Amino acid sequence: DTAVSQTPKYLVTQMGNDKSIKCEQNLGHDTMYWYKQDSKKFLKIMFSYNNKELIINETVPNRFSPKSPDKAHLNLHINSLELGDSAVYFCASSRGRTDTQYFGPGTRLTVL
Amino acid sequence: AQSVTQPDIHITVSEGASLELRCNYSYGATPYLFWYVQSPGQGLQLLLKYFSGDTLVQGIKGFEAEFKRSQSSFNLRKPSVHWSDAAEYFCAVGVGNAGNMLTFGGGTRLMVKP
C-alpha cells in the first residue's frame, strides 16, 4: 500500500479557478507538509501542520490554504489560480516534527 | 535566511566509479541536514540525515555523507555507482524550532554511463 498518496496526479485548469489537491497518509504520522517544486526543480516548503500547530512559510500567498479533516489527511486548497502556480506539489508526512519525512508521488498542476 | 547550494547541476560518472555530490549550506545555527533522491516521476526518498553526533553519516543504498562545519558542507559520497543510482539528488537543511521546515538545494542530476 502507498504510504503517502496524492490525488490527482495531474491537474490542468484555467487561471482564476479554485482547485484542491488531496493528500492521505496511512503511516499514522502526526505531522504533514506541503512542498512546491517549480520548473527548475527548486523545492520549497509551504506548510508544516500537525493537530496542534500550523507553520506557514511566509512567502506562500494566502490564496493557498491547507485543510485537515483528520490526522491522516492534509488537503491543499488554492484560490484564484495564477500562471505562476504551475508546479509539482508534494505532500509529505512524519511521525514527529523531527522525524524522517516521507513524500508522496507529487501532483503536477498546470495553469493555463 | 537559510540557503542550500548544490554547485553541480549535472554529473556523469561511469558505472563502478566513485561519486561525490557537493552541498553547501548557509544557516545561523546548528543545522539538521538531509540528502534525498528523486527518481523520474517519483516523490523524494530520504538517503540519510545528520542531526548531531558523528559527522560521518551512513545511509541507504551504500551512500554516506560527511558534515564539515568549518566548510559549511555536507557532501554525499558513494564508493561505487550503480546504473540504478541515476536520479536527481537534493540536499536540504531543516530549520524552524523542530528543524522540520526543509529548505532544499537546486538538485544535482546524476547520469551513469555503462
Side-chain angles (χ1 to χ4, degrees):
Chain A
D1 284 339
T2 304
V4 183
S5 59
Q6 298 178 226
T7 53
K9 190 171 177 63
Y10 300 96
L11 180 57
V12 181
T13 188
Q14 300 286 331
M15 266 197 317
N17 284 350
D18 303 336
K19 289 294 180 184
S20 294
I21 305 172
K22 295 184 177 181
C23 177
E24 177 181 4
Q25 53 92 6
N26 62 8
L27 298 167
H29 287 171
D30 291 322
T31 307
M32 297 183 73
Y33 313 82
W34 277 103
Y35 289 85
K36 177 181 179 181
Q37 186 176 42
D38 65 21
S39 59
K40 296 184 179 179
K41 297 277 182 138
F42 281 102
L43 267 161
K44 182 185 292 188
I45 180 75
M46 300 177 73
F47 306 101
S48 165
Y49 180 82
N50 64 20
N51 57 6
K52 299 175 184 176
E53 186 178 19
L54 171 65
I55 301 174
I56 304 171
N57 185 324
E58 66 273 10
T59 65
V60 175
N62 58 15
R63 298 181 295 104
F64 291 79
S65 59
K67 298 205 189 310
S68 181
D70 55 60
K71 201 171 79 165
H73 297 83
L74 184 67
N75 303 327
L76 182 64
H77 294 267
I78 316 171
N79 295 326
S80 303
L81 277 155
E82 301 178 358
L83 293 176
D85 297 333
S86 295
V88 180
Y89 291 85
F90 287 98
C91 176
S93 73
S94 63
R95 185 175 56 188
R97 291 192 297 164
T98 58
D99 291 306
T100 298
Q101 293 181 29
Y102 293 84
F103 283 75
T107 295
R108 182 174 293 278
L109 170 65
T110 303
V111 182
L112 303 175
Chain B
Q2 70 284 350
S3 66
V4 179
T5 302
Q6 293 178 244
D8 305 305
I9 297 174
H10 296 99
I11 283 185
T12 301
V13 300
S14 297
E15 190 167 17
S18 63
L19 171 71
E20 182 168 29
L21 302 183
R22 295 183 291 165
C23 173
N24 293 97
Y25 67 90
S26 172
Y27 184 52
T30 301
Y32 298 149
L33 295 162
F34 306 81
W35 274 99
Y36 280 85
V37 60
Q38 184 180 27
S39 297
Q42 302 295 315
L44 284 83
Q45 181 183 23
L46 180 70
L47 288 175
L48 46 79
K49 61 185 176 184
Y50 170 79
F51 281 3
S52 64
D54 193 344
T55 57
L56 184 62
V57 181
Q58 302 297 321
I60 62 171
K61 304 185 180 185
F63 285 94
E64 67 176 26
E66 186 171 11
F67 170 55
K68 293 185 177 180
R69 184 187 300 276
S70 61
Q71 298 177 19
S72 298
S73 69
F74 189 57
N75 294 348
L76 181 71
R77 300 193 294 251
K78 186 169 184 176
S80 177
V81 169
H82 188 263
W83 64 266
S84 61
D85 293 326
E88 189 94 24
Y89 290 80
F90 292 93
C91 180
V93 60
V95 299
N97 289 340
N100 63 333
M101 301 290 281
L102 301 182
T103 293
F104 285 85
T108 297
R109 179 173 292 279
L110 173 65
M111 291 173 278
V112 181
K113 293 190 298 186

